[in-house]
């Protein structure tokens, strides 16, 4: 079994170790929740000061031009594109994942309505992140045209759920609970075979696993920038549309930022050519500017190197927890198979909420998702091998000592 000295040696020869220096992490804390809110890039503080004091304070309205504010969604989109295998000028960073999902879902249904209006089913997983399901439900309810959702109970059941009635397959590439990793190319090929379009939610995979949207044949992709991309709390999300589909229909939130001539102030909407049509209204520049600080660190490495370290970290954590906690009611719900595993590890425990609270009290930050799931996110940009090792040891101590039974760990907080 791996010793702590082994982990110290792994950290010492880790080619990515220096990247941790880009982040402001509190001393003594083991942060395993970068899959919920990424750590703060040190550069974000100075960049925030610059945006607020200089660009806003001194530059005022002129900064839309002089500080490049107007082009920020496109510029960030191009920086992000290389992490997800998208082309130049194919991605914009804007709005939230939920809102971008609404845009691409309507667009996909409109494309299908032109091809085969009898397709009315949106296929997704019951265990998909709730907002993905809720947005699709709300859309079906708004349209009142017979659209419905088909929820499948396991990744393996997806192919069998596709048919001649399927309009869209909406899948999150890495499941937020289990960490199950889908094969975008394989599922997209199956969907296309039966005439369906695919929407990929990359919230738990952008910046965590290598993605090649173009090679995989995907149709639409969305995702957030505040998890593995370290853009800051609530930082704007991204949207990509296959160039083959992009100009076929309007997206529904046809605001002035997506107009072909934004300052033409014309009384009729005409969508911009290209991905610019997926913008809606005025962008939150202070928040958007932070995204650039998160993306900057990725320019110093590549997704293959990050993936290698991510798998080594999750392998180590699984090995350590299984070796130390075998006599406790802990069930691994994350696939052991590398090809099926994202960058977080989840265990089920009947008192998972309290155990996570007890861990947080000991300086190990993971999180909890209903029902009974304890999640531990591994961010190869800043997580060390010793962090994974220490976290497993502390988890074993919390379980062995039953410290989670303390009353203060049982009460649910607003955000779990
Ligand atoms: C985090 C996450 C979201 C978040 O959507 P917001 O609109 O940013 O709140 C959506 N989908 C998935 C799969 C996520 O993991």
């Amino acid at each position: 079994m791996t010793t702590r000295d082994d982990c110290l040696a792994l950290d010492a020869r880790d080619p990515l170790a220096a990247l941790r220096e880009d982040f402001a992490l509190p001393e003594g804390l083991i942060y395993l929740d970068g899959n919920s809110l990424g750590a703060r890039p040190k550069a974000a503080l100075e960049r925030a000061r610059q945006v607020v004091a200089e660009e806003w304070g001194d530059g005022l309205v002129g900064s839309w031009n002089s500080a490049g504010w107007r082009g920020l969604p496109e510029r960030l989109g191009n920086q992000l594109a290389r992490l997800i295998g998208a082309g130049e000028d194919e991605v914009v960073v804007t709005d939230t994942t939920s809102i971008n999902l609404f845009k691409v879902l309507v667009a996909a249904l409109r494309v299908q309505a032109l091809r085969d209006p009898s397709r009315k089913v949106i296929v997704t997983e019951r265990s998909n992140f709730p907002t993905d399901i809720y947005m699709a439900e709300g859309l079906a309810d708004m349209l009142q045209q017979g659209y419905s959702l088909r929820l499948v109970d396991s990744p393996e059941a997806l192919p069998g759920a596709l048919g001649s009635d399927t309009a869209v397959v909406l899948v999150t590439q890495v499941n937020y609970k289990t960490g199950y990793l889908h094969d975008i190319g394989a599922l997209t090929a199956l969907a296309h075979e039966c005439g369906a379009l695919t929407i990929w939610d990359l919230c738990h995979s952008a910046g965590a696993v290598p993605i090649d949207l173009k090679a995989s044949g995907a149709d639409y992709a969305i995702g957030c920038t505040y998890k593995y991309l370290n853009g800051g709390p609530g930082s704007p999300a991204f949207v990509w549309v296959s160039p083959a589909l992009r100009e076929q229909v309007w997206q529904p939130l046809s605001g002035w930022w997506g107009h072909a001539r934004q300052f033409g102030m014309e009384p009729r909407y005409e969508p911009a050519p290209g991905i610019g049509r997926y913008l809606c209204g005025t962008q939150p520049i202070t928040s958007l500017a932070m995204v650039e600080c998160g993306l900057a660190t990725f320019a110093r490495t590549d997704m293959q190197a990050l993936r290698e370290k991510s798998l080594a970290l999750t392998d180590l954590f699984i090995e350590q927890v299984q070796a130390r906690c075998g006599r406790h009611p802990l069930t691994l719900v994350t696939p052991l198979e590398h090809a099926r595993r994202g960058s977080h590890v989840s265990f089920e425990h009947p008192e998972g909420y309290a155990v996570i609270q007890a861990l947080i009290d000991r300086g190990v930050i993971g999180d909890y998702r209903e029902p009974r799931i304890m999640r531990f996110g591994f961010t190869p940009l800043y997580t060390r091998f010793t962090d994974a090792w220490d976290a497993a040891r502390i988890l074993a101590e919390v379980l062995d000592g039953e410290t989670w039974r303390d009353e203060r760990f049982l009460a649910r907080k607003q955000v779990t």
Side-chain angles (χ1 to χ4, degrees), residues 349-364:
H349 185 283
E351 296 296 337
Y353 183 80
V355 176
I356 284 290
Q357 298 313 306
L359 277 174
I360 293 171
D361 192 60
R362 294 280 312 272
V364 178

Side-chain angles (χ1 to χ4, degrees), residues 70-79 89 91-93 275-276 279:
R70 177 57 186 86
L72 201 48
E74 291 89 347
R75 192 162 81 239
L76 294 173
N78 280 333
Q79 291 170 19
D89 299 329
V91 179
V92 280
V93 177
I275 194 64
L279 298 175

